[in-house]
Amino acid sequence: ENPTVIIIGAGMSGIMAAKTLSERGINDFLILEASDRIGGRMLHTNFSGYVIEVGANWVEGVGGQQENPIWTLAKKYDLRVSYSDYNNISANTYNEEGELLQLSKTKPHFDLADASFNYSNALSFSLNAYSEEDVSIATAQRLFGVIPTSPLDMAIDYFYYDFEIAEPPRITSLKNVLPNPTFDYYGDSEYFVCDKRGYSYLPEQLAREFLKHDNEKFIDSRLKLQKVVRQIKYSPHGVHISTEDNSTYHASYAILSVSLGVLKSRLITFKPDLPYWKIKTFYQFDMSIYTKIFLKFPYKFWPTGPGTEFFLYADDKRGYYPFWQHLENEYPGANILFVTVTDDEARRIEQQSNKVTKEEIMEILKKLFGEGIPEAEDVLVPRWWKNRFYGGSYTNWPIGVSGADFDRMKVPVGPLYFTGEHTSEKFNGYVHGAYLAGIATAETLLDCINHGKCREVTSDGLPWAHQNNSQADIQANKTCTGVCCKDVQQVRL
Ligand SMILES: Cc1cc2nc3c(=O)[nH]c(=O)nc-3n(C[C@H](O)[C@H](O)[C@H](O)COP(=O)(O)OP(=O)(O)OC[C@H]3O[C@@H](n4cnc5c(N)ncnc54)[C@H](O)[C@@H]3O)c2cc1C
C-alpha cells in the first residue's frame, strides 16, 4: 500500500529519520536501500582474518562538556574501541629519504604548525564575529606568515588538515571548518572502532528498535534492500519512485538520505528537474575522498609498543602515502598496517591497479625500514569515489559556500526532504552529523504532516525563516542578498 513516507537509503541518517518517524506515530513508511545491508558508509569487512572498517572508523569528539550521541551509543552497545593517541607523532616522523627524524628536529616544525593552527582558529572567530568574508585555511596560514613548503612541513600540514577533512587547506573554508565544531562541542578525543560486529552494529541496533527482526536478520517488509532508486517523479500530490528492477512505489513524501556524491551524479533523475538553486548547491559543496589502504604482512618490521601507533612520511610530493597506522594495539599479532590517502592521490590510486599501488607502497616501506622487509601478502584498496552508491567518502566545506548557500542543501523541494551527513551544518562529514541530520529532517517533515508547518522557501531556495529579518526589512526588501524576499512561494502547495 502507499506509505506516507519513503526513505531512500539505510545509512545512519536514513535509519534515524525512519526511527524518529516511527517514534512519533508515522509507521507507514518504506525504506529503499540500494545495497544488501544497513549502514552505508559504516562498512566493515574481513581482511586476512580480522574485521577492519573500510569506511567510518572513529567515534570523533569525545570527552567534552556535551556527549557525542554516537559515544552514548558506543557505550550502550559496548562497542570495542581503542583510544587514538596522536601526541607522539612528532617522534615518529620520517623524512623523504626514509630517515626517522630526531624529536629535536621535528618539534620546532610541529610547534610552528600548532601556532599557525591556533592563529587560524582565532582568525575564524573574528571573521565570524564581524561577519567578514570567508577565506581559505591557506589564506589564514599566509596571514600567519608561514606557508608549509618543505616535505616535512607539508607532511605536518597534511596531518593537521587533510587527515581530518580529506581536502587541502587551500580549498577549505576557514569560517566553517575551524574551529572544528565536532571537537569544540564534544571534546578532543577520538576512539578507533575495532569491534568484530563492526561500527555498523550501531545503526543496525537502532533499526532493531523499530523494525521487525529475528536474531539473524530483518524481516520487516518496510525495509527493502537491493532497491536502487533511479527516478523520482514529484508533484504537490506526492512522489512516484522507480527502482532499477522496474518496481514503482508511491508516497506522499520522500526523504532522500543518499550521499552528496550520489546527488551530484546522475544515478537518480528527478521529474521535474530539481530547481537550479538546489542543484547548484550540490555542485558547490565538496564530496571528498578519504581512502585507507590496508596491508597484511607475514611479520611486523615497524616499531610497536607505546606511542608508535601512528607514523608520518614526508615525501617531496604532498599527500603521497603520508599517514600510517599499525593495528598492533587493536589486534596484536595481526601484522596489519594501513596508510591513508586523500583527494587527488586517492582519486589517482582508485584508478590504478592494486598491483601498482602495492608496488608504490612497498617502495616507500623499503625506504623506511630497509630492503629486507617482506612483501605484503594481501592489500585492500577501497574505492569510495568510483562506487556509484557513494561517489566519495564524506563532505568538506569549501570556500565560496556561505551559510545561506548551505541552507539550500537541506531545504525541502515540494514533497522531497533531504537528509544525510551533508545536511548537518555543524557536523557534516561525521557519523554523528548523519545521526543528528536524520532526526532533524524527520522532525521538519513531522511539522509539515502534523501541524501543516511546511517549509516555505524564496524563489532562490532560501528558507523563509533563514534571515532573522524584521517584517519592515522584509517589506523594504533590504537584508536579502541576491533574492527578493517578497517573492515567496509555498513549496508544498
Ligand atoms: C572512508 C571513510 C572514512 C570515514 N571516517 C569517519 C570516521 O572515522 N568518523 C566519522 O564520524 N565519520 C567518518 N566517515 C563519515 C561517515 O561514514 C558518514 O558521515 C556517515 O556514515 C554518512 O551517513 P549517511 O546516512 O549520511 O550516508 P550513507 O551512509 O552514505 O547512507 C546513504 C545510503 O543510501 C544508499 N543509496 C545510495 N544511492 C541509492 C539509491 N539510488 N537508491 C537507494 N539507496 C541508495 C547507500 O547505499 C547508503 O546505504 C567516513 C566515511 C568514509 C567513507
mmCIF file of all heavy atoms in Angstrom, residues 7-11 31-40 223-229 257 389-390:
data_model
loop_
_atom_site.group_PDB
_atom_site.id
_atom_site.type_symbol
_atom_site.label_atom_id
_atom_site.label_comp_id
_atom_site.label_asym_id
_atom_site.label_seq_id
_atom_site.Cartn_x
_atom_site.Cartn_y
_atom_site.Cartn_z
ATOM 1 N N ILE A 7 11.742 6.473 2.525
ATOM 2 C CA ILE A 7 13.089 6.925 2.885
ATOM 3 C C ILE A 7 14.069 6.224 1.946
ATOM 4 O O ILE A 7 14.052 4.992 1.841
ATOM 5 C CB ILE A 7 13.400 6.582 4.356
ATOM 6 C CG1 ILE A 7 12.454 7.387 5.259
ATOM 7 C CG2 ILE A 7 14.843 6.900 4.716
ATOM 8 C CD1 ILE A 7 11.916 6.628 6.391
ATOM 9 N N ILE A 8 14.888 7.005 1.273
ATOM 10 C CA ILE A 8 15.841 6.405 0.328
ATOM 11 C C ILE A 8 17.204 6.358 1.001
ATOM 12 O O ILE A 8 17.802 7.395 1.299
ATOM 13 C CB ILE A 8 15.880 7.204 -0.989
ATOM 14 C CG1 ILE A 8 14.467 7.274 -1.576
ATOM 15 C CG2 ILE A 8 16.849 6.553 -1.983
ATOM 16 C CD1 ILE A 8 14.333 8.224 -2.742
ATOM 17 N N GLY A 9 17.678 5.138 1.255
ATOM 18 C CA GLY A 9 18.973 4.949 1.894
ATOM 19 C C GLY A 9 18.828 4.511 3.335
ATOM 20 O O GLY A 9 18.019 5.067 4.090
ATOM 21 N N ALA A 10 19.614 3.486 3.694
ATOM 22 C CA ALA A 10 19.560 2.952 5.065
ATOM 23 C C ALA A 10 20.913 3.078 5.750
ATOM 24 O O ALA A 10 21.393 2.164 6.407
ATOM 25 C CB ALA A 10 19.092 1.496 5.049
ATOM 26 N N GLY A 11 21.559 4.228 5.554
ATOM 27 C CA GLY A 11 22.753 4.553 6.346
ATOM 28 C C GLY A 11 22.283 5.125 7.678
ATOM 29 O O GLY A 11 21.090 5.069 8.016
ATOM 30 N N ILE A 31 11.545 1.887 3.548
ATOM 31 C CA ILE A 31 12.956 2.255 3.344
ATOM 32 C C ILE A 31 13.451 1.505 2.111
ATOM 33 O O ILE A 31 13.364 0.271 2.063
ATOM 34 C CB ILE A 31 13.821 1.869 4.569
ATOM 35 C CG1 ILE A 31 13.256 2.482 5.858
ATOM 36 C CG2 ILE A 31 15.271 2.285 4.356
ATOM 37 C CD1 ILE A 31 13.957 2.030 7.137
ATOM 38 N N LEU A 32 13.947 2.232 1.127
ATOM 39 C CA LEU A 32 14.525 1.607 -0.074
ATOM 40 C C LEU A 32 16.038 1.785 -0.019
ATOM 41 O O LEU A 32 16.537 2.921 -0.005
ATOM 42 C CB LEU A 32 13.975 2.266 -1.344
ATOM 43 C CG LEU A 32 12.466 2.228 -1.546
ATOM 44 C CD1 LEU A 32 12.077 3.008 -2.803
ATOM 45 C CD2 LEU A 32 11.958 0.785 -1.635
ATOM 46 N N GLU A 33 16.754 0.689 0.024
ATOM 47 C CA GLU A 33 18.219 0.745 0.143
ATOM 48 C C GLU A 33 18.850 -0.003 -1.029
ATOM 49 O O GLU A 33 18.481 -1.126 -1.339
ATOM 50 C CB GLU A 33 18.643 0.133 1.495
ATOM 51 C CG GLU A 33 20.109 -0.240 1.620
ATOM 52 C CD GLU A 33 21.105 0.894 1.388
ATOM 53 O OE1 GLU A 33 20.922 1.986 1.927
ATOM 54 O OE2 GLU A 33 22.076 0.678 0.614
ATOM 55 N N ALA A 34 19.830 0.650 -1.665
ATOM 56 C CA ALA A 34 20.458 0.082 -2.872
ATOM 57 C C ALA A 34 21.284 -1.169 -2.578
ATOM 58 O O ALA A 34 21.282 -2.119 -3.360
ATOM 59 C CB ALA A 34 21.346 1.144 -3.519
ATOM 60 N N SER A 35 21.997 -1.159 -1.463
ATOM 61 C CA SER A 35 22.883 -2.294 -1.177
ATOM 62 C C SER A 35 22.097 -3.387 -0.439
ATOM 63 O O SER A 35 20.882 -3.282 -0.275
ATOM 64 C CB SER A 35 24.065 -1.823 -0.334
ATOM 65 O OG SER A 35 23.624 -1.529 0.973
ATOM 66 N N ASP A 36 22.811 -4.411 0.008
ATOM 67 C CA ASP A 36 22.118 -5.511 0.682
ATOM 68 C C ASP A 36 22.232 -5.433 2.196
ATOM 69 O O ASP A 36 22.112 -6.424 2.898
ATOM 70 C CB ASP A 36 22.677 -6.854 0.180
ATOM 71 C CG ASP A 36 24.170 -6.964 0.455
ATOM 72 O OD1 ASP A 36 24.745 -5.997 1.003
ATOM 73 O OD2 ASP A 36 24.768 -8.003 0.122
ATOM 74 N N ARG A 37 22.486 -4.208 2.696
ATOM 75 C CA ARG A 37 22.708 -4.099 4.142
ATOM 76 C C ARG A 37 22.350 -2.711 4.657
ATOM 77 O O ARG A 37 22.203 -1.763 3.876
ATOM 78 C CB ARG A 37 24.181 -4.383 4.465
ATOM 79 C CG ARG A 37 25.143 -3.550 3.610
ATOM 80 C CD ARG A 37 26.575 -3.801 3.936
ATOM 81 N NE ARG A 37 26.951 -3.127 5.163
ATOM 82 C CZ ARG A 37 27.255 -1.826 5.262
ATOM 83 N NH1 ARG A 37 27.227 -1.052 4.193
ATOM 84 N NH2 ARG A 37 27.594 -1.300 6.406
ATOM 85 N N ILE A 38 22.269 -2.629 5.977
ATOM 86 C CA ILE A 38 22.096 -1.341 6.666
ATOM 87 C C ILE A 38 23.484 -0.803 7.014
ATOM 88 O O ILE A 38 24.385 -1.571 7.332
ATOM 89 C CB ILE A 38 21.261 -1.569 7.955
ATOM 90 C CG1 ILE A 38 19.775 -1.660 7.591
ATOM 91 C CG2 ILE A 38 21.493 -0.495 8.994
ATOM 92 C CD1 ILE A 38 18.879 -2.003 8.766
ATOM 93 N N GLY A 39 23.667 0.503 6.973
ATOM 94 C CA GLY A 39 24.931 1.074 7.474
ATOM 95 C C GLY A 39 25.595 2.058 6.525
ATOM 96 O O GLY A 39 26.321 2.940 6.958
ATOM 97 N N GLY A 40 25.409 1.872 5.202
ATOM 98 C CA GLY A 40 26.003 2.800 4.239
ATOM 99 C C GLY A 40 27.509 2.891 4.392
ATOM 100 O O GLY A 40 28.215 1.880 4.317
ATOM 101 N N LEU A 223 11.404 -2.543 5.134
ATOM 102 C CA LEU A 223 12.807 -2.357 4.717
ATOM 103 C C LEU A 223 13.039 -3.167 3.456
ATOM 104 O O LEU A 223 12.936 -4.391 3.470
ATOM 105 C CB LEU A 223 13.765 -2.837 5.822
ATOM 106 C CG LEU A 223 15.248 -2.897 5.432
ATOM 107 C CD1 LEU A 223 15.819 -1.498 5.169
ATOM 108 C CD2 LEU A 223 16.077 -3.588 6.531
ATOM 109 N N LYS A 224 13.312 -2.492 2.362
ATOM 110 C CA LYS A 224 13.564 -3.211 1.111
ATOM 111 C C LYS A 224 15.006 -2.983 0.696
ATOM 112 O O LYS A 224 15.400 -1.852 0.370
ATOM 113 C CB LYS A 224 12.607 -2.729 0.012
ATOM 114 C CG LYS A 224 11.139 -2.939 0.395
ATOM 115 C CD LYS A 224 10.299 -3.316 -0.804
ATOM 116 C CE LYS A 224 8.850 -3.558 -0.421
ATOM 117 N NZ LYS A 224 8.646 -4.738 0.424
ATOM 118 N N LEU A 225 15.788 -4.070 0.720
ATOM 119 C CA LEU A 225 17.197 -3.980 0.341
ATOM 120 C C LEU A 225 17.348 -4.248 -1.152
ATOM 121 O O LEU A 225 16.436 -4.765 -1.794
ATOM 122 C CB LEU A 225 18.023 -4.976 1.153
ATOM 123 C CG LEU A 225 17.964 -4.780 2.682
ATOM 124 C CD1 LEU A 225 18.713 -5.886 3.402
ATOM 125 C CD2 LEU A 225 18.521 -3.415 3.093
ATOM 126 N N GLN A 226 18.487 -3.906 -1.690
ATOM 127 C CA GLN A 226 18.801 -4.079 -3.125
ATOM 128 C C GLN A 226 17.740 -3.437 -4.014
ATOM 129 O O GLN A 226 17.296 -4.020 -5.003
ATOM 130 C CB GLN A 226 18.998 -5.552 -3.447
ATOM 131 C CG GLN A 226 20.241 -6.080 -2.729
ATOM 132 C CD GLN A 226 20.506 -7.526 -2.954
ATOM 133 O OE1 GLN A 226 19.674 -8.367 -2.600
ATOM 134 N NE2 GLN A 226 21.630 -7.839 -3.542
ATOM 135 N N LYS A 227 17.336 -2.255 -3.606
ATOM 136 C CA LYS A 227 16.402 -1.451 -4.397
ATOM 137 C C LYS A 227 17.117 -0.152 -4.765
ATOM 138 O O LYS A 227 17.271 0.749 -3.923
ATOM 139 C CB LYS A 227 15.143 -1.126 -3.572
ATOM 140 C CG LYS A 227 14.260 -2.335 -3.334
ATOM 141 C CD LYS A 227 13.515 -2.700 -4.604
ATOM 142 C CE LYS A 227 12.624 -3.915 -4.410
ATOM 143 N NZ LYS A 227 12.041 -4.362 -5.688
ATOM 144 N N VAL A 228 17.611 -0.103 -5.982
ATOM 145 C CA VAL A 228 18.372 1.071 -6.421
ATOM 146 C C VAL A 228 17.409 2.077 -7.036
ATOM 147 O O VAL A 228 16.841 1.842 -8.111
ATOM 148 C CB VAL A 228 19.442 0.670 -7.469
ATOM 149 C CG1 VAL A 228 20.269 1.891 -7.875
ATOM 150 C CG2 VAL A 228 20.319 -0.452 -6.947
ATOM 151 N N VAL A 229 17.197 3.168 -6.365
ATOM 152 C CA VAL A 229 16.279 4.197 -6.876
ATOM 153 C C VAL A 229 16.928 4.889 -8.079
ATOM 154 O O VAL A 229 18.085 5.303 -8.026
ATOM 155 C CB VAL A 229 15.946 5.224 -5.767
ATOM 156 C CG1 VAL A 229 15.176 6.415 -6.331
ATOM 157 C CG2 VAL A 229 15.163 4.547 -4.654
ATOM 158 N N SER A 257 18.256 10.216 1.713
ATOM 159 C CA SER A 257 19.431 10.228 2.593
ATOM 160 C C SER A 257 20.681 9.817 1.835
ATOM 161 O O SER A 257 21.707 9.554 2.444
ATOM 162 C CB SER A 257 19.198 9.296 3.786
ATOM 163 O OG SER A 257 19.455 7.954 3.432
ATOM 164 N N PHE A 389 27.108 4.209 -5.406
ATOM 165 C CA PHE A 389 26.211 4.477 -4.277
ATOM 166 C C PHE A 389 26.797 5.479 -3.270
ATOM 167 O O PHE A 389 26.165 5.797 -2.255
ATOM 168 C CB PHE A 389 25.837 3.186 -3.549
ATOM 169 C CG PHE A 389 25.143 2.179 -4.442
ATOM 170 C CD1 PHE A 389 25.296 0.822 -4.232
ATOM 171 C CD2 PHE A 389 24.344 2.606 -5.500
ATOM 172 C CE1 PHE A 389 24.663 -0.101 -5.065
ATOM 173 C CE2 PHE A 389 23.714 1.697 -6.341
ATOM 174 C CZ PHE A 389 23.877 0.336 -6.126
ATOM 175 N N TYR A 390 28.001 5.967 -3.538
ATOM 176 C CA TYR A 390 28.620 6.937 -2.613
ATOM 177 C C TYR A 390 29.251 8.120 -3.362
ATOM 178 O O TYR A 390 29.027 9.257 -2.990
ATOM 179 C CB TYR A 390 29.651 6.246 -1.703
ATOM 180 C CG TYR A 390 28.977 5.132 -0.949
ATOM 181 C CD1 TYR A 390 29.071 3.802 -1.381
ATOM 182 C CD2 TYR A 390 28.146 5.421 0.127
ATOM 183 C CE1 TYR A 390 28.370 2.794 -0.734
ATOM 184 C CE2 TYR A 390 27.443 4.421 0.777
ATOM 185 C CZ TYR A 390 27.550 3.104 0.335
ATOM 186 O OH TYR A 390 26.840 2.128 0.955
#
